[in-house]
Amino acid sequence: MFQLITQRFQNVRLAIFALILALAPLTHSSANDEISTKYQVMAGFLLQLPSYVQWTDNSSEIHLCLVGDDMFGGFIDQVLAAKVAKGASTSIQIHRISQGESLERCHLAFFSGLPSAEYLATQQRVLLVGQHEDFIDAGGMVNFYLAQSRLKFEINLAKVKQQGLAMSSQLLKLAKITGR
């Protein structure tokens, strides 16, 4: 019974999140506002994403690493603090690391730029998330992109499975799937 309630709660959260993504056009009066809104939506998604991914270590604490330039500023920390205040069940730690640093402690790594394919290939059991049009081709797993002024995402499902990670079917319904 508890699992059924938990699953329904996750489905409702995912549906609300999908609605926000679908209805939040990223058009504003200035380029700075657009960038700000884009990264606000991404920050929310990055903090929700661990709820729909299962890692092999079953850790109750998720380490989210922001690799390279911090595109979120303090906003992602504010969103995380609000989640914690509302009683979020998963503990998320945010780490800011330089491009090329080891991702050994990371469960999820967000890349502000495009890392080399060689660097991505050496990462093990880390969900690799980016925002560059060639990120999936370079070996990334989840990539954000703009389509019709809306933030969308694609998932390289083959790469996710290759790393021993599992994703909720509810999340996969919202994404463009590549690498089946």
Side-chain angles (χ1 to χ4, degrees):
M1 180 68 162
F2 179 72
Q3 274 187 315
L4 182 60
I5 292 170
T6 302
Q7 181 63 36
R8 285 187 182 164
F9 178 71
Q10 281 190 334
N11 288 345
V12 168
R13 281 189 351 194
L14 190 59
I16 290 170
F17 180 70
L19 186 60
I20 290 169
L21 276 179
L23 296 178
L26 298 177
T27 56
H28 293 280
S29 59
S30 75
N32 287 340
D33 287 344
E34 183 175 322
I35 291 169
S36 175
T37 302
K38 173 184 172 182
Y39 288 107
Q40 288 175 4
V41 173
M42 267 194 230
F45 183 81
L46 286 173
L47 293 173
Q48 281 296 112
L49 191 55
S51 300
Y52 302 100
V53 178
Q54 186 175 15
W55 283 267
T56 54
D57 68 358
N58 294 320
S59 177
S60 62
E61 185 170 86
I62 300 297
H63 294 270
L64 188 158
C65 297
L66 304 177
V67 183
D69 294 334
D70 183 355
M71 311 308 283
F72 305 105
F75 183 76
I76 197 166
D77 300 294
Q78 294 169 357
V79 173
L80 179 58
K83 279 185 67 157
V84 170
K86 291 180 181 179
S89 60
T90 303
S91 175
I92 298 176
Q93 300 293 317
I94 298 175
H95 308 281
R96 289 163 172 86
I97 63 176
S98 299
Q99 185 81 21
E101 259 186 76
S102 171
L103 301 179
E104 188 175 314
R105 68 178 172 181
C106 307
H107 287 93
L108 186 155
F110 175 80
F111 294 86
S112 57
L114 181 64
S116 71
E118 295 79 22
Y119 176 72
L120 291 178
T122 63
Q123 306 310 316
Q124 299 295 314
R125 294 173 294 284
V126 178
L127 185 64
L128 306 170
V129 182
Q131 60 165 353
H132 191 279
E133 64 184 276
D134 295 325
F135 187 73
I136 293 290
D137 293 336
M141 297 175 194
V142 178
N143 187 53
F144 292 106
Y145 64 96
L146 286 176
Q148 300 172 336
S149 297
R150 298 201 190 304
L151 187 65
K152 298 187 178 215
F153 63 100
E154 60 187 329
I155 297 173
N156 183 336
L157 193 55
K159 182 74 173 172
V160 169
K161 289 179 179 179
Q162 177 188 12
Q163 291 298 316
L165 306 175
M167 290 187 157
S168 161
S169 61
Q170 298 300 317
L171 178 67
L172 296 174
K173 287 179 187 177
L174 300 175
K176 174 182 170 186
I177 305 297
T178 64
R180 289 186 189 251

